[in-house]
């Protein structure tokens, strides 16, 4: 009986894997949002940054999220280009620990905690800093250079998405869309079909690392 149950369990697992649909933009938005929630949670749990370190860094951020974007091209005559992004959650080690951290050459030191690479079925289109905004926001950009963080031993620059010990995080909006062509996600372009599988938007609210995800770019 146990063998039969085990075999059924394996078959069910395989069925779930092979029958699962393509990753949607909103799924990626939710996953990045989970990273923000974790950054807020850890910032609260780790507590205030040492005052001298906060002054030296010019920031009270306890955690931060960096991003490195890569431009890709689908094979084939169409040559569709899309962007994938590797998001990394870091925590600040502001005092010298009892047991040295291998990746740190000195302290304060930013220590990588968790990394997430966006799915190859989803294009990371653009982002807006310091507000939850729609696609028509004039400050929206596809340039991710401000999010690049040099490494564990670096103190500057600090990426634009930081979380502090009171749980607040910098607000921003990130826009995602499916790589394969479909209805336009731009709200200015009328559409009569659902955008559920085509578009996704992540809005990071300042209080408590709260997130809001949508299946459109409004």
């Amino acid at each position: 009986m146990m063998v039969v149950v085990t075999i059924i369990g394996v078959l069910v697992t395989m069925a779930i894997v092979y029958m699962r649909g393509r990753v949607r933009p909103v799924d990626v938005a939710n996953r990045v949002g989970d990273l923000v929630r974790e950054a807020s949670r850890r910032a609260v749990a780790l507590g205030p940054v040492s005052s001298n370190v906060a002054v030296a860094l010019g920031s009270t951020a306890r955690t931060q999220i960096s991003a490195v974007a890569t431009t890709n091209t689908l094979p084939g005559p169409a040559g569709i280009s899309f962007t994938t992004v590797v998001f990394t959650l870091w925590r600040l080690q502001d005092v010298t620990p009892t047991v040295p951290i291998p990746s740190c050459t000195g302290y304060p030191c930013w220590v990588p905690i968790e990394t997430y690479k966006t799915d190859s079925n989803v294009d990371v289109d653009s982002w807006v800093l310091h507000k939850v905004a729609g696609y028509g926001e004039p400050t929206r950009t596809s340039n991710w250079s401000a999010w690049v963080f040099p490494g564990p031993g670096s103190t500057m620059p600090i990426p634009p998405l930081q979380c502090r010990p009171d749980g607040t995080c910098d607000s921003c909006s990130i826009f995602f869309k499916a790589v394969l062509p479909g209805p336009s996600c731009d709200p200015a372009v009328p559409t009569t079909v659902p955008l559920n599988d085509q578009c996704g938007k992540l809005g990071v609210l300042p209080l408590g690392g709260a997130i809001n995800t949508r299946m459109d770019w409004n």
Side-chain angles (χ1 to χ4, degrees):
M1 179 65 71
M2 292 300 296
V3 172
V4 172
V5 171
T6 301
I7 293 174
I8 291 175
V10 172
L11 293 176
V12 169
T13 301
M14 291 177 63
I16 292 174
V17 171
Y18 287 106
M19 294 178 65
R20 184 174 53 197
R22 197 179 288 270
V23 174
R24 302 173 301 168
V26 72
D27 297 330
V28 174
N30 282 319
R31 182 62 185 84
V32 178
D34 289 341
L35 205 62
V36 177
R37 286 197 187 98
E38 179 64 10
S40 175
R41 187 195 69 79
R42 283 181 176 267
V44 173
L46 291 169
V49 177
S50 304
S51 57
N52 60 320
V53 173
V55 171
L57 297 181
S59 169
T60 59
R62 175 57 84 174
T63 58
Q64 64 184 14
I65 293 177
S66 66
V68 177
T70 302
T71 301
N72 310 272
T73 304
L74 284 180
I80 298 174
S81 295
F82 64 97
T83 299
T84 54
V85 175
V86 176
F87 292 94
T88 302
L89 166 61
W90 306 76
R91 69 168 179 86
L92 178 65
Q93 180 65 42
D94 55 334
V95 297
T96 304
T98 303
V99 179
I101 300 173
S103 61
C104 294
T105 56
Y107 302 93
C109 175
W110 287 100
V111 183
I113 299 298
E114 184 179 350
T115 296
Y116 169 65
K117 181 179 179 181
T118 59
D119 193 89
S120 58
N121 292 311
V122 176
D123 177 26
V124 186
D125 181 88
S126 51
W127 60 281
V128 173
L129 181 61
H130 292 156
K131 63 177 68 175
V132 177
Y135 195 69
E137 167 60 38
T139 61
R140 183 179 56 82
T141 178
S142 299
N143 185 351
W144 288 87
S145 60
W147 292 70
V148 177
F149 187 62
S154 303
T155 56
M156 291 296 284
I158 294 179
L161 181 47
Q162 311 166 30
C163 296
R164 286 155 284 279
D166 61 359
T168 60
C169 300
D170 295 306
S171 58
C172 68
S173 300
I174 305 177
F175 302 88
F176 306 89
K177 67 180 180 182
V179 171
L180 296 179
S184 175
C185 296
D186 189 341
V189 179
T191 182
T192 57
V193 299
L195 300 176
N196 299 3
D197 294 331
Q198 191 67 24
C199 315
K201 172 189 168 184
L202 167 66
V204 178
L205 306 175
L207 185 59
I211 69 164
N212 172 261
T213 56
R214 299 176 60 98
M215 295 181 179
D216 56 47
W217 284 359
N218 290 306

